[in-house]
Amino acid sequence: MAGSEFEHRGSWSGDPTVFHGEGGYWDAGAGVFRYVDMYTGDIVTLEGPDTTRTHLSALVAMMRGRRAGGYVVAVERGFRLLGEDFRPEQYVTAFDDGGLRMNEGSCDPAGRLYCGSMAYEASRGAGVLYRLDPDLRVHRALEGVSIPNGLVWIEGGHTALHADTMHREIRAYEVDPSTGEFGTSRIYVSIPEGHGAPDGMALDSEGCLWVAMWGGAAVHRYAPDGTLTEVLSLPVTNPTSCTFGGKDGSTLFVTTSKENADAAAEPLAGQVFTRRVDASGAPVHEFGG
């Protein structure tokens, strides 16, 4: 792979880290990398050497662009539409259980946004993968998830690859692309103990899957058949998401977390890491609403 090491990037002036970076997203229209500091409820924008924060709510889990302009974010218990200047617009409630929160998700080729919930106590099977349709109706797409994380679509939207961190596996779900409904599934990748657990994911233009390995201090690259082909090591234990960006789409951005990290042993935890790779990202779908 091109580039022998990751470079680290401070997140904002005065404090070079976030506590829990998540949901990396290359905003192609603006030409900047954005991600969230989940528990502070901030969107962080990284543009060259400069970073800025925009506070939205008590918690922000992930964000994507909207085809109509602006953005959509998953907040603690639902979804919020934002204008191009991050001005809050419509809010849509997904659930009202105070013991749960949104965690991670993405959009399918049809412009539907999926985001999974989980228990604050990380209880097994307590979460739901929700689907927000472009008409702003909310549906329960998948029941009984534990720590729902990375989600990408392959085979023209007929298959969804979804990571559940607690179970250390990525499953391939049959999907009806006309309705967005999930069907039967199979194990696509199972992670052996001691190698971390799958968190955020990105797809490249060759159909390979790149996975941030929480607890594994690495990003794994899997061939379309699920074979592990590359391990890119990081100097921090808990990477949380990865995505492609940059002018040619060949820079891999990785967000990380200070959660459960030893500050003395991992001074770079919470920073964003970048690395040039011999691949370019597949299109990242926008929300249709």
Side-chain angles (χ1 to χ4, degrees):
M1 304 300 291
S4 59
E5 296 182 352
F6 281 98
E7 297 179 356
H8 64 272
R9 309 288 295 275
S11 66
W12 67 318
S13 177
D15 180 355
T17 66
V18 300
F19 178 73
H20 188 75
E22 267 286 5
Y25 163 64
W26 178 256
D27 187 345
V32 298
F33 177 69
R34 306 192 196 275
Y35 60 111
V36 302
D37 193 356
M38 177 179 281
Y39 300 122
T40 65
D42 293 349
I43 292 175
V44 185
T45 298
L46 179 61
E47 185 173 8
D50 301 321
T51 56
T52 57
R53 282 181 177 248
T54 303
H55 181 70
L56 291 180
S57 63
L59 181 145
V60 178
M62 52 83 64
M63 70 179 300
R64 284 293 185 272
R66 294 165 55 193
R67 293 175 182 172
Y71 304 91
V72 60
V73 295
V75 292
E76 187 175 25
R77 298 176 203 146
F79 305 96
R80 172 77 74 180
L81 301 185
L82 305 177
E84 294 184 5
D85 58 356
F86 296 150
R87 177 176 47 83
E89 296 180 355
Q90 190 164 351
Y91 173 72
V92 181
T93 301
F95 55 90
D96 57 11
D97 187 338
L100 303 177
R101 65 167 176 83
M102 288 295 198
N103 193 54
E104 178 63 292
S106 68
C107 295
D108 72 2
R112 295 174 284 241
L113 173 63
Y114 295 73
C115 192
S117 67
M118 62 174 284
Y120 274 104
E121 300 296 327
S123 306
R124 182 178 291 268
V128 173
L129 183 67
Y130 290 94
R131 187 184 82 236
L132 178 66
D133 287 349
D135 62 7
L136 304 186
R137 290 187 296 176
V138 178
H139 306 268
R140 298 166 72 98
L142 190 63
E143 305 280 348
V145 296
S146 299
I147 305 180
N149 259 304
L151 180 61
V152 301
W153 276 262
I154 60 175
E155 299 173 349
H158 286 82
T159 300
L161 303 181
H162 185 233
D164 193 317
T165 304
M166 180 178 288
H167 304 298
R168 299 199 316 277
E169 67 182 22
I170 301 166
R171 299 193 71 88
Y173 289 86
E174 294 182 359
V175 179
D176 183 340
S178 65
T179 64
E181 293 184 0
F182 277 44
T184 59
S185 70
R186 60 180 175 84
I187 295 177
Y188 186 78
V189 171
S190 182
I191 312 298
E193 287 191 35
H195 294 267
D199 205 309
M201 310 191 306
L203 195 67
D204 71 23
S205 59
E206 297 179 355
C208 295
L209 186 66
W210 301 65
V211 185
M213 300 301 298
W214 176 269
V219 173
H220 286 187
R221 178 179 182 263
Y222 295 92
D225 65 358
T227 302
L228 178 64
T229 62
E230 190 85 15
V231 176
L232 306 181
S233 297
L234 286 156
V236 297
T237 300
N238 293 326
T240 54
S241 75
C242 57
T243 194
F244 292 92
K247 292 183 178 180
D248 61 358
S250 293
T251 297
L252 187 68
F253 291 79
V254 182
T255 61
T256 69
S257 177
K258 295 171 70 173
E259 189 172 8
N260 301 325
D262 183 329
E266 298 188 28
L268 300 180
Q271 296 198 8
V272 173
F273 292 80
T274 63
R275 176 170 172 164
R276 295 282 298 170
V277 295
D278 292 331
S280 59
V284 174
H285 308 295
E286 294 185 322
F287 181 56

